[in-house]
Structure formats: C-alpha cells, structure tokens
Amino acid sequence: MKQQAKWMILLVVVILLATTTAVFAGGPGDHGRPSGPGGVSGKVTAVGTNTLTVLTADGKSVTVKTSSSTKVEILATGASGSLSDIVVGSQVEVHGPQNQDGSVTAEVIILLPAGDELHGRVTAINDKTITIQAPGGTSSTIVTTTSTTFRKGQDAASLSDVAVGQELRAFGALQTDGSLTATLVLIHEGPGGSDHGPGGPGGPGGVSGKVTAVGTDTLTVLTADSKSVAVTTSSSTKVEILDTGASGSLSDIVVGSQVEVHGPQNQDGSVTAEVIILLPAGDELHGRVTAINDKTITIQAPGGTSSTIVTTTNTTFRKGQDAASLSDVAVGQELRAFGALQTDGSLTATLVLIHEGPGGSDHGPGGPGGGPGGPNGGPGVSNGGPGGSGGGGRH
C-alpha cells in the first residue's frame, strides 16, 4: 500500500470487532463499523472508475477513492478479493484516511456478508442458540442451524467452539422476535479469548501486544495471554503513530513498544504486517461515555463494567484527525483513553481519542470491529475499538 495515511484501522476482525460499540442489526446499512478516524462503513450505492459511494447508517453518502493498491478482504471466507467483487448493494467497511473534502482513500475494504448482523459477548449457550450481550447491555439471541458456518480466525469451527465470555459477530436474518438466524458466526479469538476475527486488523490474523524483539524484517510480539507471535515486515509495511495521528517508520518500533499489527495470518501462525499502529505507553481504557462530571468521564465497557477517566490540563484530546477538548465529549460516544491507572481503578488520562463514526460512534483508530487483542485487559479491541474494553488496560 503506497498511499500515505494518517490513520488506519480493522474486525474484523471482526470485530470485531470490534466492534463494536453496540449490537449492530437492522439490515443492510446498519453496520456502523468504520475503520477509525476517516474510515466508513455502509452500503455501496454507486461504483465508478476508482471510486465508490457508500451510504452510512445515518444516511450520509461518502465518496471512497480506490486504487490498484487498495486491498479487498472477504469477511465470509477470510480470503482476499478484488475491487471487482464490490458491486452496488455490497455492504463494506472501508479502512483508510479521511481527506479534507470528506472523502476516504481506501487502503483496505472489508466486504461484509449480506443480511443483518449482531455482535456481542456470549453469556449463555443452550442447545443450538447463543445468547449475547451488547456493549449497552442489551441481550440478543443467535439461532444456529445445520447450515450455519462457524469460523475462528482463519479456521473452520463449530458450535462446540463457542464459549461463554467470547465475542461473536453473527450474520444472518433477523426474525420478528428479535433473534437472528445465523448463516455465519465469527468466533473472535485474540489475546484474552477474543479478537476481531477474520476481516479484523487488515484481514484475518492481526495481533497486538508488546514488542519483545526486533530483527531484520521481523518483530516478535508478546500478546496479553503471553503468546509470542512472529511478525514479518517489509518496505510496504505502514506505521501509524496513534497519539499524533502521523505516519511513522519501522525504526520507530523498538523493544518495549506496544503495537497493534494489521495483516493476514500465515499458516505457521506468523502475521504479515500491512499496517502497524504504535500505541502510547501506559494503561488504556475503552468504552461508551455514560456521564461527564467536571473533569471526569465515566465510561461503560462492553461487559457492563464502569470506569472513570480523570482528565487534567495536560490531557490531549483528539477527534478523528482534529484536535479536540473535553467539551467535545458527549454521553453515548465511544472513547479510548491512555494514561496511568490509579489504585482506585480510575485512569488519569494523557490522551483521549473521541470516536466519531456513523451513528455517533466508530471503532477508533486501529480497529474495525476492530484491531486485534482481547477485552478485559491487554491491548486490543473488543466490541468497538482497540484497547481492551471491559474496564481493562495495558500494563
């Protein structure tokens, strides 16, 4: 990918996710999972020469610029596709920087399955039905059949691979009782038991964690569950610095760096890095804003845990690529905050990223449905943005 970008996400997977910030349902157009500041998701309404028009869930038409370097990932299979696979009516997640005119330059496009979608954390499994809880606390039922396809990362899976506490992204048809009869279920399997699955960080197989070794065209990343993953880099690997939104280089990554790696997983378990997000040092919290009181922000993680973010005069705020302030924070938004966790569980923030995708919330920098990683601690994304939702953080 030769284009210069200030931001990049994934899922997706999944999530998926991240993705994430709620249960996504209601038919085409309700997949509010952009790739990060500048990304976009929705239904393709027009296809032109090196352009797409995408209609978002909130009715906004966004021009997407494509090129020969734009990668296409097919979420249903985890395989690479091509721009010719995208037609009017396709549901897509576009990953790439937003331009001054509001258009998005596509670096990666995730082609979503047709139909409705639900996403959340598994709370119960009963025979062939799965109950999930969305970030806002709403419970939904996924009904599986003999025709349901299950995938875990790049691998085929089955209902027996689903466990309470995992994050799922399911596609199919919503029924009148609100349940979803699933044709495809993606089991997220990153550190901590949940990643964003196929289509997540730049495609199936991304990883996040601490860099423990740097070699020639290789990195070793230690995940939150203490798994060492080899990452292959090249001259085409892009590096994005999350706290500034600027492009970086591989030389910026050193032992001890916290990273989110976006790219396909290889058969040997290694990851080929397409984009590496260099995260700020320190701890991290992510969730939906439920209250703002003076200089403190209360957020709720997908699992329902509430946490407090304390801001100071030294806290930097960003919304997309733009500088922001505490006054830009609103109840219902998704935030990603970095700083230092205190003994009372609050986080004194040095950096707050305000996510601003369709529907008032996106998946934040680095993840469609997210970037890789697990909720409840550890770097990564769960249901909505990189960075361990669930009240967890990086230590």
Side-chain angles (χ1 to χ4, degrees), residues 147-190:
S147 299
T148 303
T149 298
F150 292 82
R151 285 221 336 272
K152 190 174 184 180
Q154 289 183 320
D155 300 325
S158 67
L159 181 59
S160 63
D161 292 301
V162 179
V164 171
Q166 289 175 327
E167 295 287 331
L168 295 187
R169 187 176 185 184
F171 295 86
L174 280 173
Q175 307 302 308
T176 54
D177 62 358
S179 66
L180 182 136
T181 300
T183 55
L184 174 66
V185 174
L186 303 180
I187 305 169
H188 302 166
E189 58 167 3

Side-chain angles (χ1 to χ4, degrees), residues 5-353:
K6 290 187 177 180
W7 288 96
M8 180 66 186
I9 186 150
L10 207 152
L11 67 73
V12 110
V13 158
V14 135
I15 163 134
L16 313 1
L17 293 233
T19 321
T20 131
T21 56
V23 170
F24 294 95
D30 285 353
H31 305 278
R33 295 173 167 273
S35 65
V40 68
S41 66
K43 179 186 286 188
V44 175
T45 58
V47 178
T49 303
N50 294 332
T51 63
L52 306 172
T53 303
V54 175
L55 182 67
T56 68
D58 57 0
K60 180 181 178 183
S61 286
V62 178
T63 298
V64 175
K65 298 178 180 180
T66 62
S67 70
S68 58
S69 65
T70 301
K71 294 195 172 187
V72 176
E73 304 290 341
I74 301 175
L75 187 61
T77 63
S80 295
S82 66
L83 289 170
S84 63
D85 294 314
I86 300 170
V87 298
V88 171
S90 295
Q91 291 284 345
V92 296
E93 290 173 357
V94 180
H95 300 235
Q98 186 177 44
N99 304 309
Q100 291 296 319
D101 61 1
S103 66
V104 174
T105 298
E107 295 173 341
V108 177
I109 300 176
I110 308 297
L111 183 58
L112 303 177
D116 304 306
E117 176 185 358
L118 291 178
H119 181 89
R121 183 183 299 274
V122 177
T123 57
I125 304 165
N126 184 13
D127 193 20
K128 293 186 176 182
T129 66
I130 305 166
T131 304
I132 61 173
Q133 184 182 52
T138 303
S139 290
S140 299
T141 300
I142 298 169
V143 180
T144 67
T145 70
T146 54
S147 299
T148 303
T149 298
F150 292 82
R151 285 221 336 272
K152 190 174 184 180
Q154 289 183 320
D155 300 325
S158 67
L159 181 59
S160 63
D161 292 301
V162 179
V164 171
Q166 289 175 327
E167 295 287 331
L168 295 187
R169 187 176 185 184
F171 295 86
L174 280 173
Q175 307 302 308
T176 54
D177 62 358
S179 66
L180 182 136
T181 300
T183 55
L184 174 66
V185 174
L186 303 180
I187 305 169
H188 302 166
E189 58 167 3
S194 171
D195 72 2
H196 284 265
V207 68
S208 68
K210 181 183 288 188
V211 175
T212 57
V214 178
T216 304
D217 295 332
T218 62
L219 305 172
T220 302
V221 175
L222 183 67
T223 67
D225 57 358
S226 300
K227 179 181 178 182
S228 287
V229 178
V231 175
T232 302
T233 61
S234 69
S235 58
S236 64
T237 300
K238 299 180 73 172
V239 177
E240 305 294 339
I241 302 173
L242 188 61
D243 59 356
T244 63
S247 296
S249 66
L250 289 169
S251 63
D252 293 314
I253 300 171
V254 298
V255 170
S257 294
Q258 289 283 348
V259 296
E260 290 174 359
V261 180
H262 300 236
Q265 186 178 43
N266 305 308
Q267 291 297 320
D268 61 1
S270 66
V271 175
T272 299
E274 296 171 345
V275 177
I276 300 176
I277 308 296
L278 184 57
L279 304 176
D283 303 305
E284 178 180 352
L285 291 177
H286 179 88
R288 184 182 297 273
V289 177
T290 57
I292 305 165
N293 184 13
D294 194 22
K295 294 186 177 182
T296 65
I297 304 166
T298 304
I299 61 172
Q300 184 182 51
T305 304
S306 290
S307 299
T308 300
I309 298 169
V310 180
T311 67
T312 70
T313 54
N314 294 323
T315 303
T316 298
F317 292 82
R318 287 224 327 278
K319 188 174 184 179
Q321 291 182 333
D322 301 324
S325 68
L326 181 59
S327 64
D328 292 301
V329 179
V331 170
Q333 289 174 327
E334 293 287 329
L335 295 187
R336 186 177 185 184
F338 296 86
L341 282 173
Q342 308 301 309
T343 55
D344 62 358
S346 66
L347 181 136
T348 301
T350 55
L351 174 66
V352 174
L353 303 179

